[in-house]
Amino acid sequence: MSDDLHRLSLSEVAAAIAGGELTSAEVTEAAIERLETAGPALHAVQAMDADAAMQAARAADAERARGALRGPLHGVPLAHKDMFYRAGRVTGCGSRIRADFVPETTARVLQGLDAAGALDIARLNMVEFAYGVTGHNEVTGTPRNPWNTDHITGGSSSGSGAAVAGRLIYGALGSDTGGSIRFPCCCNGVVGMKPTWSRVSRFGAMPLSLSLDTIGPITRTVRDNALMFQAIAGHDPRDPTSSRRAVDDMSKDLDAGVKGLRVAVPENYFYDPVDPGVAALVRASLDVLADAGAELVAVTVPETMALANTMTNLLTATEGAALHQNWLQTRFDDYGRQTRARLMSGLTIPASRYLQARNLRAPILAEFADAVFGKADVLHIPVMVTGAPTIAESDAAANPGFMDMITAMGHCTRPINYLGLPALTVPCGFLENGLPTAFQLVGRPFAEAALFRAGQAYQAATDWHAELPLNG
Amino acid sequence: MADDTDMKTWLAEFQAVTDGAGDADPARGRALSALVQAELPGLGFDGSHEAYVKLLDSLADGGPADE
């Protein structure tokens, strides 16, 4: 069994440690070996402290021996996007500017996972300051897709997607401002939850856009994702935008199925630019849900979806520029060129446009909710309009159509950030080139449990999530 | 912006800025302008983060939660 520990799911490992069939030390040692041997080819890992990880694992085993399980993730090794502060440890943010930054506080999401018993054994590579969709990082290096290392991982949670898909680690946190959890999940064939804006505290997380930033888990299965999400969701007074709404029990109805669930299928906008190969796989996933008892409902989404895409760009650029303005002046040469150019574009956006984008959020959300959730419980849409391109063809310097490409990549993701709604990405098959793709389920505000239930029903009927990548 | 020519130039630049920040589609900028005009009566809405959290809560299944 020890040779295959890395192939177990997070839920399986957590249950085995809790039940005494495996020790945290065994699992963590295997994860460290995996990160050291298979990790370099994917360039997913920024830093790891193996000694500290083993010390924490042995402490977890000692606690268990005393009958003191901390929580449902007791002793499970995880690793996260390098943008979540932990007091006394470097948080590099995929950058040269923050390469030596040692925070004095710990992010609320890490505190939540600590309280659930998880171990935090490595920092994972990411797009510089989380501002990019392809995964390219000219400062700390570009992670590689475990299904084909010539291709991108998607960004900005690039290392998280590659590490989880490559069976280097059981689960990882990512962040999503315009698609940064969903792109890596789609490109790498793993599951990601972009939660309702305000559901997960951003305290202690590197900010990019306060209006849009969300934090969520990236895992191999929906069940794993629900387990991690439970540990990080909830009110936090240190994040003034944090919702006070009670958090649902994500496991309660996880296996209840989708009989009677109304799934909205858009007749406009979302499929407009989607490649036929991607569209075929995404539509095939609808058949699986229908066979499981879901009711498919055709809906027309408001024309403002295109504007929502535009305004997500506008809000991110403006708020990102405001955060980075000082460094843009004092550390100009320390930025990667792509990150710097995109941040600087935000300096030119008029304040009036920014305020319009903020104020129009409410009427556009109300219009969307009426059109979609007036008829259905969840919306089913693609994540990406194409398969993952190669690293070479999606390089900003080599591709004159780069801006068009990244705009198209966000066609189905950015509007959801603007609306603030939760979205679960679920892999649904492989394209002709052997790379995975995925669909996303979008729910009402705070309907994460319903999305997990639907995603679980899909994975119970399919086995895409069990496929192994190269050297997996 | 002393005369109409300057104003037209400024407006053209303004439009280009908005388009550049968005989908690089001039129609998007025009559509945004039209939408803003249509929504003018409602633009007194409180666009703060706190107001948006409350709006999300009001649209959740079952309506707003007790605090």
Side-chain angles (χ1 to χ4, degrees):
Chain A
M1 188 176 188
S2 60
D3 288 345
D4 292 331
L5 286 184
H6 65 281
R7 290 183 180 164
L8 297 176
S9 71
L10 185 157
S11 305
E12 290 169 334
V13 164
I17 293 173
E21 295 136 38
L22 289 171
T23 65
S24 177
E26 285 177 291
V27 173
T28 303
E29 187 173 20
I32 290 169
E33 183 183 348
R34 185 80 187 147
L35 286 158
E36 287 177 337
T37 56
L42 303 181
H43 197 59
V45 183
Q46 182 61 29
M48 176 174 65
D49 185 340
D51 292 340
M54 286 308 301
Q55 192 175 349
R58 285 190 284 269
D61 287 333
E63 287 172 342
R64 188 197 169 277
R66 294 197 306 271
L69 289 176
R70 289 193 191 188
L73 300 173
H74 190 94
V76 178
L78 303 175
H80 308 296
K81 187 175 186 178
D82 189 17
M83 57 168 278
F84 302 108
Y85 302 170
R86 185 176 288 284
R89 186 182 75 174
V90 166
T91 305
C93 305
S95 71
R96 190 175 290 119
I97 291 171
R98 281 302 221 196
D100 300 317
F101 169 61
V102 179
E104 296 178 352
T105 56
T106 298
R108 165 64 182 82
V109 287
L110 295 187
Q111 290 176 330
L113 292 170
D114 292 347
L119 312 184
D120 176 4
I121 71 169
R123 296 185 285 123
L124 300 178
N125 209 347
M126 57 182 280
V127 171
E128 185 182 17
F129 292 117
Y131 201 9
V133 299
T134 61
H136 286 78
N137 186 325
E138 62 185 284
V139 176
T140 60
T142 300
R144 293 178 174 271
N145 192 310
W147 297 95
N148 183 334
T149 53
D150 289 337
H151 287 252
I152 64 166
T153 58
S156 64
S157 308
S158 47
S160 298
V164 173
R167 272 57 179 174
L168 307 185
I169 198 73
Y170 298 103
L173 290 176
S175 69
D176 194 315
T177 302
S180 285
I181 287 173
R182 289 164 288 165
F183 294 135
C185 288
C186 184
C187 290
N188 296 291
V190 290
V191 175
M193 170 58 81
K194 172 242 172 276
T196 309
W197 184 78
S198 80
R199 177 72 297 179
V200 175
S201 168
R202 287 94 54 89
F203 175 80
M206 181 213 79
L208 174 60
S209 165
L210 293 174
S211 294
L212 302 168
D213 291 343
T214 56
I215 300 166
I218 294 175
T219 58
R220 299 171 201 168
T221 71
V222 171
R223 189 180 301 282
D224 294 353
N225 210 283
L227 200 54
M228 273 185 77
F229 181 75
Q230 194 81 57
I232 64 171
H235 178 63
D236 177 10
R238 296 169 298 179
D239 177 351
T241 65
S242 169
S243 170
R244 292 179 175 275
R245 191 179 187 86
V247 179
D248 294 331
D249 181 349
M250 302 297 149
S251 63
K252 182 166 168 278
D253 293 322
L254 188 60
D255 295 299
V258 290
K259 191 170 174 48
L261 185 79
R262 297 171 303 163
V263 177
V265 183
E267 293 184 317
N268 63 322
Y269 182 75
F270 285 106
Y271 280 91
D272 290 351
V274 175
D275 278 0
V278 173
L281 288 172
V282 172
R283 289 194 186 281
S285 70
L286 281 167
D287 296 337
V288 174
L289 292 170
D291 288 345
E295 177 190 349
L296 306 186
V297 181
V299 297
T300 302
V301 300
E303 293 181 3
T304 45
M305 280 307 92
L307 289 172
N309 184 356
T310 298
M311 287 190 281
T312 296
N313 268 340
L314 192 153
L315 288 174
T316 307
T318 312
E319 294 182 1
L323 287 165
H324 283 264
Q325 186 162 8
N326 185 41
W327 284 335
L328 285 169
Q329 291 171 324
T330 60
R331 306 286 301 269
F332 184 88
D333 292 326
D334 288 331
Y335 282 96
R337 287 164 299 176
Q338 183 190 146
T339 308
R340 187 174 63 211
R342 295 191 71 195
L343 285 170
M344 288 182 68
S345 76
L347 297 172
T348 65
I349 295 169
S352 54
R353 275 292 195 243
Y354 172 73
L355 289 172
Q356 287 165 354
R358 284 276 295 266
N359 284 355
L360 284 168
R361 250 183 131 182
I364 288 177
L365 173 60
E367 185 183 32
F368 179 88
D370 185 53
V372 174
F373 300 124
K375 293 181 177 176
D377 303 302
V378 300
L379 173 70
H380 176 287
I381 53 176
V383 177
M384 288 172 59
V385 301
T386 67
T390 65
I391 291 172
E393 71 193 5
S394 55
D395 183 77
N399 184 354
F402 177 76
M403 281 308 296
D404 290 342
M405 186 196 71
I406 64 170
T407 295
M409 274 185 74
H411 181 84
C412 296
T413 58
R414 288 195 198 99
I416 309 306
N417 295 82
Y418 187 70
L419 298 169
L421 298 173
L424 180 71
T425 296
V426 183
C428 63
F430 294 85
L431 300 164
E432 278 188 3
N433 63 4
L435 289 162
T437 193
F439 64 88
Q440 56 179 327
L441 295 167
V442 180
R444 285 179 175 275
F446 307 104
E448 285 86 358
L451 301 183
F452 283 134
R453 194 181 98 199
Q456 173 61 22
Y458 178 81
Q459 290 201 327
T462 58
D463 57 6
W464 301 117
H465 57 286
E467 296 282 332
L468 293 171
L470 302 169
N471 302 315
Chain B
M1 274 183 266
D3 56 35
D4 286 349
T5 305
D6 287 344
M7 178 63 91
K8 284 176 184 171
T9 302
W10 181 83
L11 280 171
E13 290 172 353
F14 175 76
Q15 193 68 62
V17 165
T18 304
D19 296 338
D23 279 4
D25 175 358
R28 294 280 162 77
R30 286 195 292 274
L32 177 57
S33 297
L35 183 68
V36 169
Q37 289 297 319
E39 294 284 347
L40 272 180
L43 286 183
F45 173 80
D46 181 357
S48 69
H49 289 138
E50 291 77 8
Y52 204 68
V53 174
K54 286 183 180 174
L55 176 64
L56 286 168
D57 194 47
S58 73
L59 291 170
D61 196 18
D66 293 332
E67 291 191 3

